[in-house]
Amino acid sequence: MLTEAPPAPAGPERRTATRVLVEHHEVLRGLIRHLRRTPCSRPGRRRALAGELYDELWMHERIEEEIFYPAMRDVTPALAAAWSEHRQLSDQLAALVRADPRTERFDRELDMLHDALESHAHLDEERRMFPEVERFADEDLLVGLGDRLSARLGRLRSSRRVRMVLRLQRTLLRHTAR
Amino acid sequence: MAQCALDRLPNAIEGEGRLDRPGHRLEHGLAFTENLLGITGGRARAVLHGVWLGHPLHPVFTDLPIGSWTTALVLDLTGHRRAARAAVGVGIAGALAAAVTGLHDWQHTHDEARRVGLVHGTLNTLALGLYGWSWWQRGRGHHLRGLLAALLGYPVIMASGFLGGTLVYRHRIGVDRTDERCEPRRFTRAMAERDLPDRSPRRARAGDVDVVLVRVDGRVHALEDACPHLGGPLSQGWLRDGSLTCPWHGSRFALSGGRSLNGPATAPAPCFQTRVRDGWIEVRRAPALTTAPPGSALAHQQEVQP
């Protein structure tokens, strides 16, 4: 008797590297939106959100720099610019963490972080680099990279050592601010 | 023949991808240190890049160690031990200043130049170590050991100086990247006025030149779209305290005049005069002041106001 082959076990849905990164961009955008909606009368909440943004953006830069960019070296020429845009984001992030969340300066730094993130994530990656990568890179390669990116992101998020280092960085930055 | 041999060294370094990882590690550490010290957003940033000087500050200091250590070598050979030690000391002070300014410039370079810069810096550190040891040994009366360390360090600093030259003359690091053009000489339509939002940079094309247009407080400003540092697209940048920030390395440019405010760009971004006619934003190159004779086309361009 002919029976139909059982459907393949429904494992977790596999996503391409660009999909993983775009989704993480959305997480970062959501955090910025959330921060913008939080009034300066709640400085504690603002500081906590800024801390979370610091950690997430730091991890985003790490997974891109350690996994995605090295794999894309022969696919797109835009990597050097992307590296330096990360640096601008890190600098702006430090400026945000150093700003007092009760002041207007915090809002200004947040606006600039928003602009810097859009410049990198939207104008550079989502509109230019990712379409190029999707056109020229192998689909299997991208799915494999996507697995590695999300696995690494999960590991970074759950690592106590990373959390501790990041908290130390934020504390140092805040306490040296003038 | 000799030229080929000398070419091979920078070529080998430029192609060495394994230098990227330590390079980026170093940059991360450097970025955190600069943010911690408040250099990134402070005035020290512009000072270290040499914005006040109009060109990078680093090459001003590099002459000190090379010159002083050459002098020390001559003094050693002629038997002036104390003077030789003093010369070594002056060179060490210059090398430290060159290291600080050099690292500050290096962190904003790309790809091949970055690799060459990393090797250049490593060699300099090695030479600095050798000369530091030489200075110390000379102070303790071990002149021969001091001389030996200096003899070892001298070829290292020469090789490193050669790589420094490669960075400037081949990779054009620290060089003003803007090309000297006069176009558009007449007011040229760049963009419909209603398409330009407030306080948000937009790219437009005037003739065959890419410009970035920014409207602040009702005034339209126009700069060339390529950053004079490494050519970053200024139209993808953002405004900070009324100046336009390059998205690649964070150089800030004054909207009127295009003066660089913080580096790494030390040259101004080329500027355009703007006016609005029939709903169109029109731009014309604001020429640099020249000594053109009266009546010439360039002088005419300078004199006629929009």
Side-chain angles (χ1 to χ4, degrees):
Chain A
M1 194 173 108
L2 277 170
T3 52
E4 270 185 297
E13 193 199 339
R14 298 183 75 192
R15 298 167 299 167
T16 60
T18 44
R19 193 70 235 142
V20 173
L21 292 174
V22 169
E23 278 172 19
H24 200 230
H25 286 165
E26 283 308 319
V27 172
L28 298 170
R29 286 189 180 113
L31 275 170
I32 290 186
R33 271 199 302 274
H34 205 141
L35 252 175
R36 279 180 152 176
R37 279 201 306 267
T38 313
C40 58
S41 54
R42 298 178 65 196
R45 180 87 188 119
R46 278 184 150 203
R47 177 155 287 164
L49 279 169
E52 201 179 331
L53 184 59
Y54 186 95
D55 295 4
E56 282 294 323
L57 197 45
W58 187 91
M59 292 174 198
H60 184 78
E61 289 180 8
R62 283 313 128 110
I63 59 170
E64 281 194 339
E65 290 173 2
E66 285 170 13
I67 299 173
F68 187 65
Y69 293 168
M72 291 299 122
R73 200 178 278 163
D74 301 326
V75 180
T76 168
L79 291 177
W83 274 100
S84 34
E85 284 163 1
H86 276 182
R87 172 62 190 278
Q88 295 314 305
L89 285 171
S90 305
D91 288 355
Q92 193 49 46
L93 213 46
L96 180 75
V97 168
R98 285 159 79 89
D100 187 335
R102 282 163 300 193
T103 58
E104 205 182 298
R105 185 170 148 222
F106 186 89
D107 292 293
R108 276 209 314 271
E109 300 291 0
L110 183 62
D111 282 343
M112 274 181 274
L113 181 64
H114 170 265
D115 291 352
L117 181 70
E118 284 311 308
S119 174
H120 171 66
H122 182 67
L123 294 178
D124 202 34
E125 290 193 338
E126 289 168 11
R127 270 182 49 183
R128 245 182 19 170
M129 187 200 291
F130 290 176
E132 192 180 13
V133 162
E134 279 160 5
R135 242 174 67 206
F136 292 111
D138 190 49
E139 174 85 17
D140 291 340
L141 172 81
L142 283 180
V143 171
L145 269 179
D147 290 346
R148 281 175 62 201
L149 284 171
S150 25
R152 181 104 173 90
L153 187 61
R155 271 206 307 280
L156 283 173
R157 274 180 179 152
S158 56
S159 159
R160 281 176 63 187
R161 196 182 64 83
V162 168
R163 289 283 179 195
M164 219 170 64
V165 168
L166 289 176
R167 196 179 314 141
L168 182 69
Q169 284 190 4
R170 282 188 272 123
T171 313
L172 281 172
L173 283 171
R174 210 166 52 228
H175 287 288
T176 50
R178 271 159 292 167
Chain B
M1 208 30 219
Q3 197 192 353
C4 287
L6 277 180
D7 243 15
R8 233 172 279 153
L9 176 67
N11 284 348
I13 298 170
E14 281 162 16
E16 190 50 81
R18 278 174 298 178
L19 290 169
D20 288 347
R21 190 170 276 264
H24 287 301
R25 284 262 159 83
L26 178 60
E27 199 212 324
H28 284 147
L30 212 56
F32 186 68
T33 313
E34 290 209 346
N35 282 320
L36 208 59
L37 297 175
I39 293 176
T40 314
R43 280 158 79 184
R45 172 179 178 145
V47 172
L48 289 176
H49 279 308
V51 173
W52 56 279
L53 195 63
H55 71 72
L57 182 58
H58 176 66
V60 174
F61 290 121
T62 54
D63 290 351
L64 268 173
I66 295 179
S68 300
W69 292 343
T70 308
T71 310
L73 203 62
V74 174
L75 290 171
D76 271 334
L77 293 178
T78 51
H80 298 83
R81 292 184 175 186
R82 280 191 56 196
R85 181 167 188 257
V88 168
V90 170
I92 290 170
L96 287 173
V100 172
T101 49
L103 270 173
H104 194 59
D105 283 347
W106 168 82
Q107 59 185 341
H108 299 299
T109 54
H110 287 176
D111 298 331
E112 285 93 355
R114 211 180 163 81
R115 296 171 190 159
V116 175
L118 189 68
V119 176
H120 169 72
T122 310
L123 287 179
N124 283 330
T125 312
L126 176 66
L128 182 59
L130 282 167
Y131 273 98
W133 192 72
S134 166
W135 190 75
W136 188 55
Q137 289 298 327
R138 286 164 196 259
R140 295 178 61 203
H142 300 303
H143 178 74
L144 204 64
R145 285 189 201 169
L147 177 62
L148 195 68
L151 285 176
L152 283 174
Y154 198 72
V156 176
I157 200 76
M158 284 295 116
S160 170
F162 169 70
L163 290 180
T166 308
L167 281 170
V168 176
Y169 299 112
R170 187 192 281 200
H171 298 288
R172 296 193 293 154
I173 298 301
V175 174
D176 180 1
R177 301 269 183 127
T178 51
D179 40 355
E180 288 177 15
R181 299 166 75 179
C182 299
E183 279 74 36
R185 289 171 187 257
R186 294 168 197 287
F187 275 107
T188 308
R189 283 183 177 182
M191 182 185 264
E193 197 203 356
R194 61 166 188 279
D195 291 342
L196 185 66
D198 212 30
R199 304 187 69 81
S200 178
R202 285 284 186 277
R203 192 173 67 148
R205 214 164 158 76
D208 55 356
V209 181
D210 281 323
V211 295
V212 49
L213 299 173
V214 194
R215 191 205 301 267
V216 175
D217 301 329
R219 255 202 85 177
V220 179
H221 301 273
L223 301 176
E224 196 156 323
D225 192 29
C227 175
H229 172 230
L230 288 186
L234 294 182
S235 52
Q236 292 181 20
W238 51 93
L239 289 178
R240 181 184 192 107
D241 305 332
S243 57
L244 185 60
T245 312
C246 173
W248 284 5
H249 306 104
S251 303
R252 283 166 48 211
F253 299 97
L255 283 176
S256 44
R259 195 164 56 89
S260 167
L261 301 175
N262 66 345
T266 49
C271 229
F272 298 82
Q273 297 169 340
T274 62
R275 71 179 187 189
V276 178
R277 285 280 190 288
D278 308 325
W280 284 86
I281 296 166
E282 300 181 337
V283 302
R284 175 177 77 172
R285 172 96 47 183
L289 284 177
T290 58
T291 50
S296 76
L298 260 181
H300 177 73
Q301 199 175 342
Q302 279 168 27
E303 284 155 11
V304 177
Q305 291 302 310

